[in-house]
Amino acid sequence: MHSGLSLTLLSVAILTVPIPAQPVPETFTLTVPDGLISSQSGSSVSLLCQVSPIFNIKPFEVQWYRSDDVNKPTLLYMDHKIQEALMDPRFRGRVSLTGGLERGNASLRLERVTLEDSGEFVCYIASNKWYEKAHVVLAVSGDSKGFTVTQVLLVVLPVFLVIIICALCFIVFKRKGFKCSSLHTSRKHTGAENTVQMSTKQTASDEEDNLKDWLLGKRFRAEHITMDKETASTAISVTHHGKRVNYIKAKDTVDHQSYHVLGNKGFDSGQHYWKVKVNEYANKEKLAWYLGVTRENAKCPLT
Ligand SMILES: *[C@@H]1O[C@H](CO)[C@@H](O)[C@H](O)[C@H]1NC(C)=O
């Protein structure tokens, strides 16, 4: 009973005795990870560096530098503080010691990693009696190896739209093709009224039958063309809803000049026909009428 109590007292005494600070060893080693430390551009990374045995390295000098740039440390800790002014400006504001120097942890925390940060870093720790250094290699890769769905859509959608728009434009322009088919009249002699009539009614004449035979078996489309008043020369009158065209001797008309009127319809493909009836009048003044097609860009009225 008595010995048990003294044992309890002893154990309490041991627990309350303050743990003495670890003595600073004469020498130490550094532990760093083997192999590459990989990181993605834009993220943060820790380059681990730990002293062994564990002891407080706050009074020591801790330096991180790139092995290819010894003169400008990435991070310099000296006289109990980080010496910003002596550090490489490329790392300023991006580096810190986060592991706890009092626990012998000299790990470097690097924020907003860039591709240029890749390379070999040296962890260097020195007391006035001893120093040690170790190498850590950092490999930074681009921030996105594959394309995200959004990126793909952003590239593919505009291309797709452009293709569709081009296709539509192509179709529309092809449709328009040649727009103004024209009835083109050329007046060779001065004379009385003369009429060109766009025939829509079937008249049982021999010519009509011949035409029918000729058209038989051919994929010609019968067209009902009307004349566009707006395109008529001053010596041309357009009546009967564009179905009839007369030559009128206007005051300002000049002899040996051509007068024109354009049709309302145009085609861009296929074979078409339309019938034109030329009426000669009583005085038999001979006029020549020319029929033809123009390109869509023909000036209306023609001059
Ligand atoms: C040292 O600190 C780093 C960064 O905080 C931490 O990731 C690492 O685990 C620490 N090392 C040890 C041995 O405690």
Side-chain angles (χ1 to χ4, degrees):
M1 179 70 100
H2 187 258
S3 66
L5 179 66
S6 61
L7 191 66
T8 311
L9 282 174
L10 183 66
S11 57
V12 168
I14 288 167
L15 281 175
T16 49
V17 166
I19 298 160
Q22 306 103 315
V24 174
E26 286 283 306
T27 64
F28 55 86
T29 58
L30 295 183
T31 310
V32 292
D34 294 329
L36 280 179
I37 304 297
S38 348
S39 176
Q40 290 215 330
S41 157
S43 66
S44 304
V45 68
S46 284
L47 304 183
L48 303 189
C49 181
Q50 175 73 43
V51 294
S52 177
I54 292 171
F55 67 98
N56 181 9
I57 54 169
K58 271 188 155 179
F60 284 24
E61 179 188 332
V62 176
Q63 226 189 103
W64 279 93
Y65 57 88
R66 296 173 64 98
S67 52
D68 57 0
D69 192 0
V70 181
N71 299 322
K72 272 272 174 230
T74 305
L75 182 142
L76 176 61
Y77 170 90
M78 219 166 61
D79 304 330
H80 293 269
K81 60 172 191 262
I82 288 179
Q83 308 287 334
E84 287 268 356
L86 302 171
M87 285 157 46
D88 188 338
R90 287 178 297 171
F91 295 98
R92 214 168 275 162
R94 296 202 288 134
V95 285
S96 55
L97 295 171
T98 55
L101 293 177
E102 64 284 354
R103 289 186 299 275
N105 190 332
S107 298
L108 176 80
R109 177 91 180 148
L110 181 54
E111 318 270 349
R112 301 187 299 282
V113 177
T114 68
L115 291 173
E116 293 75 51
D117 292 345
S118 292
E120 190 180 57
F121 289 78
V122 180
C123 171
Y124 168 94
I125 298 176
S127 69
N128 41 21
K129 291 188 211 116
W130 188 259
Y131 80 87
E132 195 64 74
K133 56 183 178 179
H135 299 250
V136 180
V137 180
L138 174 67
V140 182
S141 58
D143 49 1
S144 58
K145 278 168 195 149
F147 293 111
T148 65
V149 175
T150 322
Q151 282 170 321
V152 169
L153 284 181
L154 278 177
V155 172
V156 169
L157 268 185
V159 171
F160 199 63
L161 278 177
V162 166
I163 290 171
I164 287 179
I165 289 167
C166 286
L168 283 177
C169 287
F170 182 74
I171 290 167
V172 167
F173 281 114
K174 254 205 113 189
R175 272 276 160 81
K176 277 184 132 185
F178 303 104
K179 200 184 172 189
C180 304
S181 83
S182 79
L183 174 69
H184 170 160
T185 76
S186 167
R187 194 172 165 280
K188 291 287 168 66
H189 306 280
T190 52
E193 271 196 359
N194 196 289
T195 304
V196 172
Q197 192 177 339
M198 315 308 292
S199 162
T200 49
K201 280 172 227 147
Q202 297 276 63
T203 52
S205 68
D206 288 349
E207 285 96 330
E208 198 87 21
D209 288 334
N210 289 344
L211 182 65
K212 261 191 214 161
D213 290 342
W214 184 69
L215 291 170
L216 205 70
K218 302 202 179 187
R219 291 259 166 91
F220 286 359
R221 270 192 60 184
E223 300 290 349
H224 298 296
I225 307 263
T226 56
M227 293 295 116
D228 184 1
K229 243 186 198 144
E230 302 301 314
T231 65
S233 306
T234 49
I236 299 283
S237 89
V238 180
T239 56
H240 294 73
H241 302 288
K243 286 260 175 241
R244 193 172 288 185
V245 173
N246 289 301
Y247 167 69
I248 45 167
K249 186 164 165 60
K251 266 187 215 151
D252 56 348
T253 57
V254 182
D255 287 347
H256 311 294
Q257 195 191 334
S258 294
Y259 304 110
H260 314 83
V261 61
L262 298 181
N264 277 319
K265 222 170 187 178
F267 316 103
D268 58 351
S269 62
Q271 289 174 303
H272 309 260
Y273 76 91
W274 55 97
K275 298 174 199 167
V276 180
K277 197 170 164 190
V278 180
N279 293 337
E280 297 266 14
Y281 279 88
N283 60 12
K284 302 280 186 229
E285 180 76 60
K286 196 90 175 142
L287 292 175
W289 295 90
Y290 291 98
L291 279 158
V293 290
T294 67
R295 286 184 180 279
E296 191 191 12
N297 60 5
K299 253 179 142 188
C300 310
L302 297 165
T303 49

